[in-house]
Amino acid sequence: MMTFKPRTLAFAGSLCLTLAACGGGTSSNNSNSDSTSSSVVTSSQSSTSSASSASSKSRIHVNQVGFALGGKKVAVIPQSEATHFSVINAATNIEAASGEIDAYQQWSYAAEAVGQADFSQLTVPGEYFVRVDGLNDSDVFVIADDPYSELNKAVIKAYYYNRASTALEAQYAGVWARESGHPDTQVLIHPSAASAERPAESVISSPKGWYDAGDYGKYIVNSGISTYTLLAALEHYPELYAERELNIPESGDSVPDLLDEVRWNLDWMLSMQDPADGGVYHKLTTKNFVGVVMPSDTAEPRYVVQKATAATLNFSAVMAAASRVVKPYDTALASQMLTAAKRAWQWAEQNPNVAYVQPGDVNTGAYGDSNFADEFVWAAAELYISSGEDSYYQAINAGSAGNAVPSWSQSLGLAWMSLAAHADDLTAVANKALINQRVTELADAIMATGEQSAYGVSMASSDFVWGSNGVAMNRAMMLVQAYRVSADSQYMDGAQALLDYVLGRNPTEYSFVTGFGARPPMDIHHRPSAADDVDAPVPGFLAGGPHSGQQDGCNYPSSLAAESYLDDWCSYSTNEITINWNAPLVYVSGALETYYLNLSK
Ligand code: 9MR
Ligand code: 9MR
């Protein structure tokens, strides 16, 4: 319900790209600035927008980065007497659009009732904010033809910043340059992982890989979903990533930078397979979490711990998928990966029920999962796609395999996503109608939740868990799959709403990606960010997000699921960052970027 203001629209050109440049106030430092250092908001820069500033007034919730010209654009307005909203051009202070606020409704996970303000019809590039009488103006955001490219680059570059076993040079890492740590060339076999060939305390080499999160561990299960998701981004959007330069040491070689980055972790994963039998170690960590130190300041012994079924199947699935993606660049590596994947599969068939059991002397992340049915489905699907061997398709048991939003312990969604993406290349045994049905039935359930939400955002109570922002992005990734099989744009609108959610259309004050939006997290639970002497955290990381678990006992502002978030080192349950939460944000931001660029062609 929006009225158009053609007179002001005509004026709202691209003359003034920032508020500061136009003398209109403080720039919100949005994502259209250059990557890494220049896109980072420091505390002093992170003032909010525009005209009114009384902090006691409620805040309008809006994606703080912005929108594509042809994208759905919704702000969420806290309940007041107001029925009307305006969108103001931040450069000129002139109203560009206005409309009626939808009926105010309660969202179960937050205190205040809200109404949606839809200004999708505003399609003129510029910087804007939303104004409602009696409320603070919203943060400033852009409307642009390509608003997510800097975001996409930064959330990929975050993996580079989390590389183990290497120094980060200033030419790539800017102020976040750091010395090398964790060479991992002398890793001990933990007694739980001992074998005839590799007895307890013997030494193996297992370098490279990404740190899992704010800790310095490397965990196969979580690396699996993260690495796969980045590989899927590459497979599904090859044109986008062929050109995407990340300024990493490998930039300029003949391989897409995203694949170079993923190779850093694939090389490590390959070293986690026991060459004697094909089984895969669950993780590589110290016995206890180390303190708040830089990588170069720790030398505690690191161990590989227990071979287990979930890790071995995760490895199998990822190596099978990777063999497809690296093949055009390196056929020898591709065949090595497919062989490694098949050997892992065989180990899992012979050891179908080996749960990871955290040894008594090991206290780092457990990533324990005792249900392997979904990992079997996923590994079988990837092996089938990459090898073309029908026996792997039979092993999927497609008729009885359901679908679910992916997480580190749930891989069904990854299997269907891969099968759908390769539907045209599958052998005759594959039931293509079933594959499409699985993808769309999950997406329709996700959409239904969004339609009932006062925020217009598909999050249900079971989604507010440790890493809820990762859940949001995985839900969005499942919606993108439905768009890919149906070409129905409503699914991309649903994915956009979830991206809006993590970038500011939520009940907290935050855009949850470091360095992006007017008020990003500053004190993430990330050891390098906390231990270095740079004020701003490493950019491009998605904070875990709100949920009411409060396992760390920190002092939260609210116990409501969508408000229970704290931007503090203390809050490892809501403010850590991980490779598995960033990965679907990479996928979704790249998918939306591609979608909007195609719309405008
Ligand atoms: O810092 C650790 C973080 O990386 C983990 O994800 C988290 C949960 O396993 O644990 C953190 O370490 C905390 C430990 O578990 C309990 N004492 C406080 C530690 C953080 O300061
Ligand atoms: O993401 C994991 C979450 O699902 C669990 O509830 C939580 C507690 O076991 O652990 C999270 O994973 C952490 C891992 O164990 C260690 N590295 C940091 C991860 C994110 O906090």
Side-chain angles (χ1 to χ4, degrees):
M1 289 201 291
M2 196 190 74
T3 350
F4 230 36
K5 292 281 175 66
R7 187 183 60 82
T8 54
L9 287 177
F11 193 79
S14 55
L15 281 174
C16 303
L17 288 175
T18 65
L19 270 176
C22 306
T26 312
S27 167
S28 69
N29 206 345
N30 278 306
S31 71
N32 263 15
S33 51
D34 199 4
S35 59
T36 55
S37 55
S38 63
S39 68
V40 169
V41 180
T42 62
S43 299
S44 58
Q45 287 175 300
S46 64
S47 65
T48 59
S49 64
S50 54
S52 54
S53 63
S55 60
S56 59
K57 294 190 208 161
S58 295
R59 193 178 295 280
I60 293 168
H61 308 293
V62 67
N63 177 334
Q64 296 169 24
V65 171
F67 304 92
L69 302 182
K72 185 151 185 189
K73 307 171 192 77
V74 171
V76 168
I77 315 295
Q79 182 163 25
S80 71
E81 299 294 302
T83 58
H84 186 84
F85 72 93
S86 309
V87 184
I88 311 288
N89 185 311
T92 60
N93 229 11
I94 294 173
E95 184 178 273
S98 66
E100 301 302 310
I101 302 165
D102 288 350
Y104 293 107
Q105 289 175 44
Q106 197 71 34
W107 204 31
S108 325
Y109 318 113
E112 69 195 1
V114 294
Q116 294 176 39
D118 188 329
F119 52 100
S120 304
Q121 293 169 65
L122 177 55
T123 58
V124 179
E127 292 198 337
Y128 299 92
F129 58 86
V130 177
R131 174 168 287 169
V132 173
D133 281 350
L135 303 182
N136 285 331
D137 291 341
S138 81
D139 296 310
V140 175
F141 52 85
V142 300
I143 294 179
D145 59 350
D146 190 12
Y148 304 132
S149 59
E150 294 306 324
L151 175 73
N152 178 261
K153 284 187 220 170
V155 296
I156 299 171
K157 184 79 178 258
Y159 290 83
Y160 166 74
Y161 286 115
N162 247 28
R163 284 186 186 187
S165 317
T166 187
L168 305 188
E169 305 292 345
Q171 69 183 114
Y172 311 115
V175 293
W176 296 281
R178 58 169 168 81
E179 289 168 38
S180 184
H182 304 102
D184 286 342
T185 48
Q186 306 260 304
V187 174
L188 301 169
I189 300 282
H190 187 270
S192 61
S195 61
E197 298 82 358
R198 292 179 161 186
E201 305 293 327
S202 58
V203 173
I204 66 166
S205 180
S206 190
K208 301 169 86 176
W210 301 307
Y211 299 128
D212 184 54
D215 65 320
Y216 293 135
K218 304 193 287 195
Y219 307 79
I220 285 289
V221 165
N222 203 46
S223 260
I225 181 170
S226 311
T227 306
Y228 165 80
T229 302
L230 299 183
L231 287 166
L234 265 159
E235 258 196 324
H236 300 182
Y237 302 100
E239 292 89 5
L240 182 73
Y241 294 111
E243 305 293 322
R244 184 125 290 176
E245 293 286 328
L246 302 173
N247 186 29
I248 58 176
E250 299 80 6
S251 295
D253 68 8
S254 57
V255 175
D257 281 7
L258 176 54
L259 183 53
D260 282 321
E261 192 51 54
V262 172
R263 282 276 320 261
W264 191 264
N265 202 57
L266 288 166
D267 288 353
W268 167 66
M269 287 183 77
L270 280 168
S271 74
M272 289 290 279
Q273 185 173 41
D274 184 346
D277 64 6
V280 177
Y281 305 109
H282 189 74
K283 65 177 178 179
L284 188 168
T285 72
T286 47
K287 288 189 173 179
N288 295 297
F289 288 120
V290 301
V292 188
V293 291
M294 295 301 284
S296 52
D297 293 337
T298 72
E300 282 84 346
R302 301 203 352 138
Y303 291 84
V304 291
V305 190
Q306 198 197 331
K307 287 180 282 192
T309 307
T312 303
L313 288 169
N314 265 271
F315 173 101
S316 178
V318 170
M319 287 304 157
S323 73
R324 303 192 291 268
V325 181
V326 307
K327 201 171 190 173
Y329 308 98
D330 190 337
T331 51
L333 180 63
S335 88
Q336 183 198 340
M337 286 170 159
L338 190 55
T339 302
K342 289 180 172 179
R343 289 195 73 212
W345 173 262
Q346 283 159 11
W347 188 94
E349 280 194 309
Q350 287 153 16
N351 302 272
N353 213 8
V354 184
Y356 174 72
V357 180
Q358 181 97 307
D361 62 342
V362 176
N363 299 301
T364 49
Y367 285 120
D369 175 9
S370 49
N371 183 339
F372 312 117
D374 53 313
E375 282 86 6
F376 271 107
V377 167
W378 181 33
E382 301 300 343
L383 282 161
Y384 168 58
I385 296 164
S386 294
S387 71
E389 293 169 30
D390 287 352
S391 59
Y392 290 117
Y393 185 81
Q394 312 299 354
I396 298 172
N397 267 316
S400 53
N403 199 0
V405 175
S407 70
W408 63 259
S409 60
Q410 173 52 265
S411 28
L412 287 172
L414 310 177
W416 293 112
M417 165 171 166
S418 278
L419 289 166
H422 290 276
D424 293 341
D425 323 319
L426 301 180
T427 66
V429 294
N431 182 341
K432 293 174 193 172
L434 178 68
I435 294 168
N436 279 0
Q437 183 194 326
R438 286 286 184 270
V439 168
T440 50
E441 68 196 3
L442 177 61
D444 290 342
I446 294 170
M447 291 298 288
T449 301
E451 276 146 27
Q452 287 159 17
S453 150
Y455 272 74
V457 162
S458 172
M459 290 288 281
S461 75
S462 55
D463 300 319
F464 287 102
V465 293
W466 192 312
S468 60
N469 286 337
V471 176
M473 288 299 91
N474 274 307
R475 292 170 77 77
M477 186 167 79
M478 293 298 98
L479 295 180
V480 173
Q481 304 320 303
Y483 171 74
R484 289 170 53 81
V485 304
S486 69
D488 183 343
S489 61
Q490 65 154 339
Y491 296 118
M492 294 309 263
D493 292 345
Q496 177 69 53
L498 284 156
L499 182 69
D500 291 349
Y501 169 81
V502 301
L503 295 176
R505 177 174 154 189
N506 67 62
T508 74
E509 306 274 294
Y510 292 94
S511 160
F512 288 113
V513 181
T514 55
F516 284 83
R519 268 164 294 96
M522 295 300 289
D523 292 309
I524 50 175
H525 192 92
H526 179 240
R527 280 169 175 72
S529 294
D532 68 12
D533 49 19
V534 182
D535 282 346
V538 173
F541 276 120
L542 177 65
H547 66 101
S548 47
Q550 305 191 355
Q551 292 88 341
D552 38 49
C554 310
N555 188 17
Y556 286 87
S558 163
S559 57
L560 290 165
E563 296 180 351
S564 178
Y565 168 76
L566 200 60
D567 179 21
D568 193 306
W569 162 264
C570 173
S571 179
Y572 56 80
S573 75
T574 75
N575 208 32
E576 192 161 2
I577 59 83
T578 65
I579 56 174
N580 65 308
W581 305 332
N582 256 56
L585 174 56
V586 170
Y587 185 98
V588 168
S589 56
L592 285 168
E593 182 180 355
T594 304
Y595 171 68
Y596 293 127
L597 290 174
N598 286 338
L599 277 188
S600 63
K601 265 179 196 161

